[in-house]
C-alpha cells in the first residue's frame, strides 16, 4: 500500500498537494493526519465523497510499503504515520527548506517555491495527466493561500506558471476567493482583540518586529491570517505571535525580508521557511523572551547605501538651461548634480531635473544659467542603512547623492534613486554541482554528505541520479561510481556502518548494492571501460578513470557526473544541453550495434520523462 499524507491542521496547500500526488501516484490512499485548519473545516465535509480521505489512525501500518509526504518533512507532524519513518521509503514534496531531523526522504522534490502545489503541477504536466475542475480548484486554492494571492515575498515564477496551468484545467477563481478570503469567527475576533491590546514594536538593527500575545482555552483558529493582518496594519518588517494554549505556547512568525523565521523558530524545534514558520513549545518557559534575545543573530545584515548605490555618478558643470537639458536627454537621466571644482572635491550647486528644465525652456528661459533652476541635493554617507534612506528619498524628490566630505566640498561616490529602491540585488548563481546536490532528497543528501566527508577523492554521483536531480525529480535509487584507488567494498561497508542496513557484493563485476533502513538503495560500481568483442556480445570490463566510464554509457543525458570530493560537474558529451532540449542522443554511432538493449532502455526513458530521440537515431537504427 502506498499512502499520501501531509500534516496535522491540514490547509489548502496540503490538501491540494495531496490530491495532485494522488494523481501522480495512482492507487494511493490519501491519509488525513490530525485535524483541518480554518475554512477547510467547512469545505471538507462537502468534498468527502470525492476525496475519499482515510483517517491515518485507521490505516494498517504493517501494510504500508511507501509514503508520499507533501507540504511537510517533519516526523512529529505525522501522527501515527511517524512510526513508519526509517522503516519504509518516504518521497517528500515540500516547499519548506530542509532542517535537521527531517524525514530521510529517498525521492520527491524540495525547492523554495511559494506553495508545494507548484512542485507537483509540472510533473503532472510532463506525464500528460489532466485534472478535473475540482482538483484544479483545490490546487489553485493552495497556491492562492500560501502566496497571499501571489503577493507574498516567497512567490516565484514557478507559482505563477502552475497557476496558469490550473486555470487552463478549469480552476474556479471565484470559488477560491470565497474559500481563502480571511474569515474571522468569534474565536478569531477574540484572539485578534487580545493581540491588538498587547501588540508592540521591537526594533533591532533597523528591523521592525511586531510582537503580540494572546491566550486561548478552547478551539484555536487559523493564526496565519491574523499574522498577516497585523503585519499590514502596523507596516512592520516581521511579526511574532505567541498564543498560550493550556501548558503550551504556539508561536507563529512571518517576515518580509532579512529575518529567516524558519531558522529562528527552528532553534526552538519549530519549522517553516524563510518567510513563514511555526513552533509549539511545551511548558511555560521563556520561549518568547529567548527568541527576542536571539533576534539579532538571525537577522541578515542591513544593506547600506554604499552597497546599493549606482556608481560612479555623472555630473554637469554650470552651463545654460538648454545645454543642460540636452545632456540629460542624451544620457537618458531624469536628473544630474551640477558641480564645480573645489580643492580635492567639488562644490555641489544642486540637482538639475529634466522636467524643470523642459518647463524653463517652454517659458523662454533656455539661454539662462542652469544654476537658477536647481533643486536642493541631499548627500548621505555610504554607511547609511537603507532603512533610513527611503524617507530622505521623498524629501529629495526621489534621489539622493552618496558622498564623503572633502575639505569644504564633497567627494561624490554614487547616486541612489527610487529605481534602486525597488531593484533586488542579484543572488549568486549556484554551480551546476551545487544545483545537483541541493536538489537531492534529504535522505539522499545525508548519504552524499557523509561520503564527501569520508572519501575526499574518487566517489562520483553518476548517470540517472544526476539527470533526475537536474530535472527536479528523484527516486529511491542512488547511482555512484568509485574511481581507481577506492574499493567498492570499503564504500559499502562505510555506508552500512554509518546508516545501518545491509549490502551485497559482486566481485566479478566490481559492483555492490547497499540497502539502507529508510528505503534508499545505493548502487556502487567501479569506474570502468567496456570493450565489445563483437556486436551483441557481453563486454570485456576493466577499471578506468571516470572519464572512460562516462564514455561507455548509452545517452548523453546519462553521461554526466558530479565529483563529490571537488564538487565538479562533469559533462563531456553535452548532456546538459540535451537535457534542456529533452533529447536522447546516443554517445557514438555504434551504440546500438554494440548493445541493442539501449534502444529499449531509451524508449522507456523517453516515455517516462517526455523526451524524444535525437534526429540521427533513425539512421543509426537502420540495418
Amino acid at each position: 500500500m502506498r499512502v499520501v499524507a501531509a500534516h496535522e491542521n491540514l490547509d489548502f496547500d496540503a490538501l491540494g498537494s495531496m490530491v495532485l500526488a494522488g494523481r501522480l501516484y495512482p492507487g494511493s490512499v490519501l491519509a488525513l493526519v490530525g485535524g483541518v485548519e480554518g475554512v477547510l473545516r467547512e469545505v471538507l465535509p462537502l468534498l468527502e465523497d470525492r476525496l475519499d480521505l482515510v483517517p491515518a489512525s485507521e490505516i494498517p501500518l504493517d501494510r504500508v510499503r511507501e509514503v508520499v509526504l507533501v507540504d511537510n518533512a517533519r516526523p512529529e507532524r505525522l501522527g501515527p504515520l511517524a512510526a513508519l519513518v526509517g522503516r519504509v521509503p518516504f518521497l517528500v514534496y515540500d516547499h519548506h527548506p530542509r532542517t535537521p531531523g527531517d524525514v530521510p526522504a529517498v525521492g520527491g522534490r524540495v525547492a523554495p517555491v511559494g506553495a508545494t502545489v507548484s512542485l507537483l503541477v509540472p510533473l503532472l504536466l510532463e506525464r500528460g495527466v489532466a485534472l478535473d475542475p475540482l482538483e484544479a480548484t483545490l490546487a489553485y486554492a493552495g497556491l492562492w493561500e500560501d502566496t497571499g494571492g501571489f503577493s507574498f515575498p516567497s512567490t516565484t515564477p514557478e507559482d505563477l506558471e502552475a497557476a496558469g496551468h490550473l486555470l487552463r484545467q478549469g480552476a474556479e477563481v471565484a470559488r477560491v476567493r470565497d474559500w481563502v478570503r480571511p474569515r474571522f469567527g468569534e474565536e478569531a475576533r477574540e484572539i485578534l482583540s487580545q493581540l491588538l491590546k498587547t501588540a508592540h514594536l521591537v526594533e533591532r538593527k533597523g528591523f521592525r518586529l511586531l510582537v503580540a500575545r494572546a491566550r486561548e482555552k478552547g478551539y484555536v483558529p487559523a493564526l496565519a491570517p491574523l499574522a498577516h493582518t497585523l503585519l499590514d496594519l502596523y507596516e512592520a518588517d516581521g511579526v511574532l505571535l505567541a498564543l498560550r494554549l493550556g501548558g503550551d505556547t504556539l508561536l507563529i512568525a512571518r517576515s518580509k525580508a532579512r529575518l529567516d523565521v524558519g531558522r529562528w523558530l527552528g532553534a526552538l524545534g519549530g519549522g517553516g521557511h524563510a518567510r513563514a514558520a511555526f513552533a509549539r513549545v511545551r511548558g511555560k518557559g521563556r520561549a518568547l523572551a529567548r527568541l527576542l534575545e536571539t533576534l539579532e543573530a538571525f537577522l541578515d545584515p542591513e544593506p547600506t547605501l554604499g552597497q546599493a548605490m549606482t556608481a560612479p555618478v555623472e555630473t554637469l558643470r554650470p552651463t545654460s538651461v538648454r545645454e543642460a537639458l540636452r545632456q540629460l536627454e542624451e544620457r537618458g537621466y531624469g536628473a544630474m548634480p551640477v558641480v564645480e571644482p573645489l580643492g580635492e572635491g567639488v562644490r555641489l550647486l544642486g540637482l538639475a531635473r529634466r522636467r524643470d528644465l523642459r518647463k524653463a525652456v517652454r517659458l523662454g528661459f533656455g539661454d539662462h544659467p542652469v544654476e537658477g533652476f536647481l533643486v536642493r541635493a541631499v548627500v548621505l554617507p555610504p554607511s547609511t542603512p537603507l532603512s533610513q534612506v527611503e524617507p530622505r528619498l521623498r524629501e529629495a524628490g526621489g534621489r539622493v547623492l552618496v558622498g564623503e566630505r572633502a575639505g569644504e566640498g564633497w567627494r561624490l561616490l554614487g547616486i541612489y534613486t527610487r529605481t534602486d529602491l525597488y531593484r533586488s540585488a542579484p543572488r549568486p548563481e549556484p554551480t551546476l554541482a551545487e544545483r545537483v546536490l541541493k536538489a537531492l532528497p534529504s535522505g539522499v543528501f545525508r548519504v552524499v554528505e557523509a561520503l564527501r566527508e569520508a572519501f575526499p577523492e574518487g566517489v562520483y554521483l553518476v548517470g540517472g541520479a544526476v539527470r533526475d536531480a537536474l530535472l527536479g525529480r528523484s527516486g529511491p535509487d542512488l547511482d555512484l561510481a568509485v574511481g581507481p584507488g577506492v574499493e567498492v567494498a570499503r564504500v559499502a561497508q562505510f555506508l552500512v556502518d554509518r546508516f545501518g542496513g545491509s549490502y551485497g557484493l559482486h566481485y566479478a563485476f566490481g559492483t555492490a548494492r547497499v540497502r539502507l533502513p529508510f528505503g534508499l538503495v545505493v548502487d556502487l560500481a567501479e569506474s570502468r571501460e567496456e570493450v565489445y568483442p563483437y556486436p551483441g556480445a557481453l563486454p570485456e570490463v576493466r577499471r578506468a578513470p571516470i572519464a572512460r566510464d562516462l564514455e561507455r554509457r548509452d545517452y548523453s543525458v546519462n553521461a554526466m557526473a558530479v565529483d563529490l570530493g571537488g564538487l565538479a560537474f562533469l559533462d563531456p558529451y553535452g548532456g546538459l544541453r540535451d537535457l534542456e532540449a529533452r533529447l536522447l542522443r546516443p554517445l557514438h554511432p555504434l551504440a546500438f550495434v554494440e548493445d541493442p538493449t539501449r534502444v529499449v532502455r531509451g524508449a522507456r526513458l523517453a516515455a517516462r520523462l517526455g523526451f524524444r530521440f535525437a534526429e540521427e537515431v533513425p539512421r543509426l537504427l537502420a540495418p
Side-chain angles (χ1 to χ4, degrees), residues 6-68:
H7 52 72
E8 57 192 8
N9 296 325
L10 203 67
D11 56 15
F12 275 108
D13 187 31
L15 178 61
S17 297
M18 287 177 63
V19 169
L20 297 187
R23 296 301 309 277
L24 195 62
Y25 298 95
S28 300
V29 175
L30 305 190
L32 180 61
V33 178
V36 297
E37 184 174 283
V39 72
L40 260 183
R41 293 192 304 156
E42 304 169 17
V43 173
L44 209 53
L46 304 176
L47 308 175
E48 283 180 340
D49 292 342
R50 294 288 306 277
L51 297 180
D52 196 22
L53 298 178
V54 178
S57 57
E58 297 179 11
I59 293 177
L61 300 185
D62 59 336
R63 293 179 54 195
V64 178
R65 296 292 174 263
E66 186 176 70
V67 177
V68 180

Side-chain angles (χ1 to χ4, degrees), residues 446-462:
R446 193 184 308 173
V447 169
V448 167
E449 284 296 284
L451 288 169
R452 289 188 61 210
E453 180 182 332
F455 299 93
E457 295 181 355
V459 179
Y460 304 88
L461 191 67
V462 293

Side-chain angles (χ1 to χ4, degrees), residues 454-535:
F455 299 93
E457 295 181 355
V459 179
Y460 304 88
L461 191 67
V462 293
V466 177
R467 178 199 68 222
D468 289 348
L470 288 170
L471 287 172
R473 61 171 76 222
S474 294
D477 299 328
L478 177 64
D479 294 325
L480 297 171
V482 176
V486 180
E487 296 301 321
V488 163
R490 184 177 159 214
V491 178
Q493 186 65 56
F494 166 79
L495 289 174
V496 171
D497 290 344
R498 181 71 172 267
F499 299 100
S502 61
Y503 70 90
L505 292 173
H506 301 278
Y507 288 102
F509 296 99
T511 63
R513 170 162 285 192
V514 184
R515 299 183 181 275
L516 300 180
F518 52 88
L520 181 66
V521 176
V522 182
D523 285 316
L524 299 164
E526 295 174 345
S527 60
R528 59 190 187 270
E529 60 182 346
E530 297 175 346
V531 178
Y532 291 83
Y534 55 87

Side-chain angles (χ1 to χ4, degrees), residues 85-110:
V85 175
R87 292 170 45 192
V88 302
F90 273 71
L91 281 69
V92 174
Y93 295 90
D94 191 18
H95 70 125
H96 304 99
R98 296 190 188 105
T99 56
D102 281 353
V103 169
V106 301
R109 188 183 178 202
V110 176

Side-chain angles (χ1 to χ4, degrees), residues 74 76 99 262 265-272 277-280:
R74 302 301 302 173
E76 62 269 18
T99 56
L265 267 59
L268 295 179
F278 172 86
R280 187 183 191 114

Side-chain angles (χ1 to χ4, degrees), residues 253-278:
R254 296 291 185 269
S255 170
K256 295 179 180 177
R258 292 189 61 202
L259 176 62
D260 186 334
V261 292
R263 290 196 308 116
W264 192 36
L265 267 59
L268 295 179
H273 53 79
R275 300 292 162 251
F278 172 86

